Amino acid sequence: MAIKNPAPSRNARILSVGAYRPPRVVPNSELVERIDSSDEWIQQRTGIQTRHWAGADESVTDMAVNASRIAIARAGLTPQDIDTIIFATITYPYQTPSASTEVAARLDIKGAAAFDIGAACAGFSYSLGLANDMVRTGSATHVLVIGAEKISDFIDLDDRATSFIFADGAGAVVVGPSVEVGIGATIMGSDVENRDAIAMVPSWIDYKPGSDLTNLAWPVIHQEGQKVFRWAVYEVAKVGKRIIAESGLSPADIAAFIPHQANERIIDSLAKSMDLPESVIVARDIRTTGNTSAASIPLAMDALLEEHPDLHGKTALLIGFGAGLVYAGQVVELPPQPK
Ligand SMILES: CC(C)(COP(=O)(O)OP(=O)(O)OC[C@H]1O[C@@H](n2cnc3c(N)ncnc32)[C@H](O)[C@@H]1OP(=O)(O)O)[C@@H](O)C(=O)NCCC(=O)NCCS
């Protein structure tokens, strides 16, 4: 007896996107004194003008729940229609149970598969690739994919390489069945030679009772800015070309480029190296949102669709990259205009 194919010839697509930005806007001027910098320097080197930071009473899951509610409603669904939740984050402050199960409990989603993904700034694209595979192969029907971060809890305000880069926010998409192919091949990979280039230290074990806590600092993100910059510009551009080719497309077929929002100079360099034509609309959400790690692609997607409603249903190239160093990306059909 042959095993039954659970979902013959089924495709998947992004049905909707939702976003949430915490209300507090933090301008560069608020951060520059402690790192001997200037608004001009930060804008010139990164493109960032302002970012949002959550308050002490707002958690990463509060933001995720807000973004998820919007995405589910825009898909024309109710929370009970969701059968799988994938939550990409590096800032959920509990080792277990997972952030995805907290979202399930708070949205009253019963019985759903729920798990978290730790792939840093590539987490959303990894999760989207998994959601696509799950819907296509029949292990899920409606997947809620969340990218959310409260990185402001893990920033050293005196660190000149990070304090002005990272920010808070949440984005979510619902992935569901579709007749046409709405999500192309996901290319995922890593470059572990550069594993130390971005890291959050120390580890939990360092805080174990009995450890010497005298000089132990709160865990914060550190990075070797130049190393990350060079890697992103050279290696991620090659990944982008592979994604387009594996999707059976050429750069001229892409309507929008929505990369991880790490640095506007990286975004420009990637677009140039991949020979994206001038007609491609490039997401530059970094200017007012900063680098929100796993949240950055869905946040940028939502902002771009708000600004350019004609992009609904058009083809976009997504690429995430970050600590590990890891990367993932795919070409997608952007969600349709919500009814
Ligand atoms: C962090 C980053 C903005 C630093 O810019 P940079 O040009 O590489 O900075 P460098 O460390 O080489 O320092 C260059 C000069 O700027 C100064 N500088 C460094 N940080 C500064 C800051 N925050 N403000 C003002 N001056 C600064 C240095 O002192 C140095 O001065 P000098 O030329 O007089 O010696 C940049 O490396 C970067 O964006 N990297 C990518 C990071 C990233 O995207 N990470 C997330 C990936 S998911």
Side-chain angles (χ1 to χ4, degrees), residues 145-163:
V145 177
I146 304 166
E149 304 283 6
K150 188 178 178 190
I151 315 185
S152 60
D153 277 341
F154 302 96
I155 290 174
D156 174 359
L157 290 172
D158 296 313
D159 183 350
R160 296 183 98 199
T162 56
S163 82

Side-chain angles (χ1 to χ4, degrees), residues 32 35-38 41-42 45-46 120-122 159-166 198 223-232 260-266 286 291 293 321-323 325:
V32 292
I35 52 170
D36 186 20
S37 189
S38 67
W41 191 93
I42 294 173
R45 298 290 172 123
T46 68
C121 306
D159 183 350
R160 296 183 98 199
T162 56
S163 82
F164 56 95
I165 288 182
F166 293 105
I198 311 174
Q223 71 166 346
E224 294 176 58
Q226 286 216 10
K227 197 187 242 186
V228 177
F229 194 99
R230 276 197 301 272
W231 173 80
H260 167 50
Q261 304 287 296
N263 180 313
E264 196 169 1
R265 290 190 298 142
I266 294 177
I286 180 136
N291 177 343
S293 190
F321 50 92
L325 295 170

Side-chain angles (χ1 to χ4, degrees), residues 205-225:
I205 297 297
D206 294 317
Y207 295 91
K208 213 172 166 186
S211 303
D212 177 11
L213 302 177
T214 327
N215 294 314
L216 201 55
W218 174 247
V220 288
I221 292 189
H222 299 275
Q223 71 166 346
E224 294 176 58

